Amino acid sequence: MTATLHDVARAAGVSIKTVSNVINNYPHVRDATRERVEAAIDELQYRPNQAARTLRSGRTDMIGLIVPDLRNPYFAELADDVMRAARAHGFSVLIEQFDADRDSELAALRGARRRGLDGVLYSVLSLGEDDAPLLDEVGMPMVLLGERIFHSAHDHVTMRNTEAARAATAHLLAAGRRRVLALGSHPGEIVGSAGLRLRGYEAALADAGLEVDPVLVVPVDRWHRVDGADAMRAVLDTGLDFDGVVAFNDSIALGAMRVMLERGIRIPEEVALVGFDDLDETRYSLPTLTTIDPGRSEIARVAVDLLVQRITGDAVAEPREVLADFRLVERESTAG
């Protein structure tokens, strides 16, 4: 016969409520009790009846995460952080990615609505102010990630793009660098990541009494390693003089670093380099990469907390906006 919740509780010598708390990964269970319950579950090969749980609670205990392009390591690492944060609340995560176009993004939103999730975390990319009503049509609790491209009635968790890019640029200027490349701009963009980080770069130059040299602002369309490498190759082929680089994400920085080293440029002696995102691989590049830690784990934790509060009805009525703290992580690419 199939084991029941009562069987597990009897075998572990605990209440049914305690077994339920362990299954839902609630934090306030003693380690010894948790181990005893888990051992009973394994011994009896107990499997929770998810369909019955859903009927009783009206919830699936599953949230969605909608992000652009998981080939971008930032979003892959963010997904890992979100899954860990959700697990602490007893939720699973369904991940949906979309391409960098409006149709793909809208399809991902429609997919979330069809799957009957309890709520969704959504990193907006290509939608604009006129699209705000589309979010309400999803019909479930939602927390927005990334830049606030438009105003909406949803909670929003993001990073301090402008302040962090300003700190990254100021770090190079304080080290005596005066020809600092801004690698990764999107011409005409104002409120997206590229536009906000460019604003921080420009502010740091102004703080140092320097004017922006347009030739030092280098567009990069996609923010993958290959794009950073191609952009740096094109810059070097022009013979442009520069002694520092603020790359608008770590992938661009790592691609650019590879090309500079291939061309015999010494980092940081000739060119100092700062990235943005604090990806795990930046600890292992040669040289290791100085970068901005934008508070990714905090963003994931706070976003999940806010979403769970919306799902359970414990949230305040007004939408909240939270900006994570950042820090400059100094490594070998700017050392000395």
Side-chain angles (χ1 to χ4, degrees):
M1 295 179 61
T2 303
T4 67
L5 203 67
H6 293 79
D7 297 330
V8 175
R10 190 180 306 111
V14 299
S15 68
I16 292 175
K17 177 63 174 175
T18 298
V19 176
S20 178
N21 288 343
V22 171
I23 291 171
N24 289 296
N25 203 25
Y26 291 145
H28 305 300
V29 179
R30 288 185 298 178
D31 290 342
T33 303
R34 184 181 299 277
E35 291 172 3
R36 199 160 69 249
V37 171
E38 290 175 344
I41 289 172
D42 290 341
E43 180 181 351
L44 297 173
Q45 296 184 328
Y46 171 73
R47 296 293 178 268
N49 187 330
Q50 183 62 46
R53 289 172 62 193
T54 298
L55 287 173
R56 286 196 302 271
S57 67
R59 291 183 2 211
T60 64
D61 289 338
M62 180 170 289
I63 62 175
L65 173 64
I66 303 176
V67 292
D69 196 358
L70 287 170
R71 291 176 303 168
N72 183 323
Y74 172 82
F75 290 111
E77 294 190 16
L78 175 67
D80 179 72
D81 287 332
V82 166
M83 287 188 288
R84 293 175 187 275
R87 194 177 303 129
H89 289 281
F91 283 81
S92 300
V93 181
L94 177 67
I95 301 173
E96 181 76 41
Q97 69 169 348
F98 58 86
D99 297 325
D101 66 78
R102 175 184 170 82
D103 290 342
S104 178
E105 195 162 341
L106 290 174
L109 273 176
R110 288 192 293 269
R113 184 170 62 240
R114 287 196 305 268
R115 290 182 176 92
L117 304 169
D118 293 328
V120 66
L121 305 176
Y122 170 36
S123 184
V124 185
L125 183 64
S126 60
L127 302 189
E129 188 79 39
D130 294 339
D131 298 311
L134 296 175
L135 303 188
D136 298 327
E137 295 176 9
V138 175
M140 69 180 72
M142 178 182 294
V143 174
L144 302 180
L145 305 175
E147 288 60 58
R148 184 174 285 281
I149 297 176
F150 47 76
H151 295 87
S152 75
H154 298 280
D155 297 323
H156 178 226
V157 184
T158 188
M159 62 185 67
R160 300 180 183 274
N161 281 285
T162 300
E163 298 94 327
R166 188 175 191 168
T169 308
H171 175 63
L172 294 179
L173 296 173
R177 312 292 171 151
R178 286 297 178 268
R179 298 278 296 170
V180 177
L181 209 67
L183 192 62
S185 72
H186 290 166
E189 182 175 290
I190 298 174
V191 296
S193 296
L196 295 172
R197 293 175 194 180
L198 179 60
R199 192 182 307 169
Y201 165 84
E202 293 171 340
L205 291 179
D207 292 341
L210 299 174
E211 294 185 0
V212 176
D213 185 344
V215 302
L216 293 175
V217 179
V218 179
V220 182
D221 185 19
R222 295 292 187 101
W223 283 6
H224 298 297
R225 297 174 192 84
V226 63
D227 305 298
D230 289 344
M232 179 54 68
R233 199 171 288 114
V235 167
L236 294 177
D237 287 346
T238 68
L240 181 65
D241 177 40
F242 62 97
D243 57 8
V245 178
V246 173
F248 285 5
N249 81 347
D250 285 343
S251 292
I252 294 174
L254 292 169
M257 178 189 290
R258 171 71 187 217
V259 170
M260 286 191 286
L261 294 173
E262 288 175 348
R263 297 286 184 96
I265 296 172
R266 293 176 298 138
I267 303 172
E269 291 83 359
E270 295 177 273
V271 176
L273 174 64
V274 182
F276 197 116
D277 283 342
D278 193 28
L279 300 178
D280 183 63
E281 63 186 299
T282 59
R283 297 162 177 79
Y284 306 103
S285 58
L286 287 174
T288 54
L289 182 65
T290 295
T291 184
I292 293 291
D293 172 2
R296 185 187 61 246
S297 295
E298 180 188 355
I299 290 170
R301 177 183 57 78
V302 172
V304 170
D305 286 350
L306 292 178
L307 185 60
V308 170
Q309 289 171 20
R310 292 291 178 190
I311 291 169
T312 58
D314 295 331
V316 298
E318 293 300 315
R320 292 154 293 183
E321 183 167 18
V322 180
L323 280 78
D325 292 329
F326 71 90
R327 65 188 180 97
L328 177 73
V329 182
E330 296 185 42
R331 299 198 182 104
E332 294 168 350
S333 67
T334 61

